[in-house]
């Protein structure tokens, strides 16, 4: 199905290139494949890697998740929701209750406040800590940011 779409798009471009006023722009049109969703899209240059801003943001967020080395993952079932329930919503650094609703959604992007819960690795991953239940604690986002990798 995608091959058919590409073929139709190439035919359309050939017709457009025949117009004298659009020749300069049409010569630069290139087919690229999106790194995130894999669809084929037209761009003006070879440096476009994503078909949309949404795919670009998804890929960027996915890249950030690779901070955790696959060889140090011990427990794959660790999630923020499970950790929140386990620690009863209390930050282990300051002792205050984390606010699960301290977030805003703007244009599909989630912006978290200082009291939003986060997963903190007691022994940081960068210092050789494991991603295991005995090494993760609940911390409010503000405290976790201040702590850093100490």
């Amino acid at each position: 199905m995608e091959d058919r779409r590409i073929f139709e798009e190439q035919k359309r471009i050939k017709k457009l290139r025949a117009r004298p006023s659009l020749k300069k722009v049409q010569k630069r049109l290139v087919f690229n494949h999106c790194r995130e969703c894999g669809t084929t899209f037209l761009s003006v240059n070879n440096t476009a890697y994503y078909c949309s801003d949404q795919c670009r943001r998804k890929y960027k967020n996915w890249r950030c998740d690779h901070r955790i080395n696959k060889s140090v993952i011990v427990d794959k079932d660790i999630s923020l929701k499970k950790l929140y329930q386990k620690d009863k919503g209390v930050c282990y650094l300051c002792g205050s209750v984390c606010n699960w609703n301290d977030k805003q959604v703007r244009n599909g992007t989630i912006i978290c406040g200082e009291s939003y819960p986060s997963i903190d690795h007691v022994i940081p991953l960068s210092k050789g800590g494991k991603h295991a239940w005995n090494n993760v604690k609940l911390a409010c986002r503000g405290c976790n940011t201040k702590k850093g990798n100490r």
Side-chain angles (χ1 to χ4, degrees):
M1 184 70 176
E2 190 171 309
D3 293 335
R4 176 81 176 151
R5 198 183 79 190
I6 292 170
F7 177 73
E8 293 296 326
E9 194 66 29
Q10 287 173 342
K11 277 177 52 177
R12 190 179 70 80
I13 289 171
K14 284 180 183 178
K15 286 180 185 177
L16 287 173
R17 284 185 180 156
R19 295 182 192 169
S21 61
L22 298 175
K23 277 189 178 179
K24 286 185 180 180
V25 175
Q26 296 303 323
K27 283 182 183 178
R28 293 183 296 168
L29 283 180
V30 181
F31 281 102
N32 286 335
H33 294 283
C34 180
R35 284 186 177 178
E36 178 59 29
C37 63
T39 60
T40 303
F41 65 98
L42 269 176
S43 68
V44 179
N45 55 27
N46 280 332
T47 60
Y49 299 116
Y50 311 102
C51 61
S52 66
D53 286 338
Q54 184 180 6
C55 280
R56 182 182 49 78
R57 281 194 301 267
K58 273 186 187 177
Y59 185 79
K60 186 177 180 184
N61 290 338
W62 173 81
R63 252 190 35 232
C64 293
D65 290 345
H66 282 82
R67 295 171 299 165
I68 299 173
N69 187 349
K70 301 297 183 205
S71 65
V72 298
I73 291 180
V74 177
D75 294 316
K76 293 183 180 183
D77 64 335
I78 296 173
S79 69
L80 184 58
K81 200 171 260 188
K82 288 180 184 177
L83 188 62
Y84 187 85
Q85 291 170 351
K86 178 183 169 259
D87 291 346
K88 298 179 179 100
V90 177
C91 172
Y92 91 102
L93 294 169
C94 67
S96 67
V97 177
C98 296
N99 184 1
W100 192 263
N101 297 319
D102 188 18
K103 64 181 176 182
Q104 299 174 358
V105 179
R106 293 184 192 159
N107 299 330
T109 304
I110 299 173
I111 301 168
C112 299
E114 293 293 308
S115 63
Y116 191 77
S118 65
I119 297 174
D120 181 49
H121 294 86
V122 178
I123 301 169
L125 298 172
S126 62
K127 308 272 182 171
K130 304 280 185 190
H131 187 67
W133 279 109
N134 60 359
N135 191 38
V136 294
K137 299 267 187 185
L138 187 74
C140 53
R141 193 181 144 274
C143 292
N144 198 358
T145 305
K146 287 176 194 169
K147 178 184 174 242
N149 71 339
R150 287 180 257 138

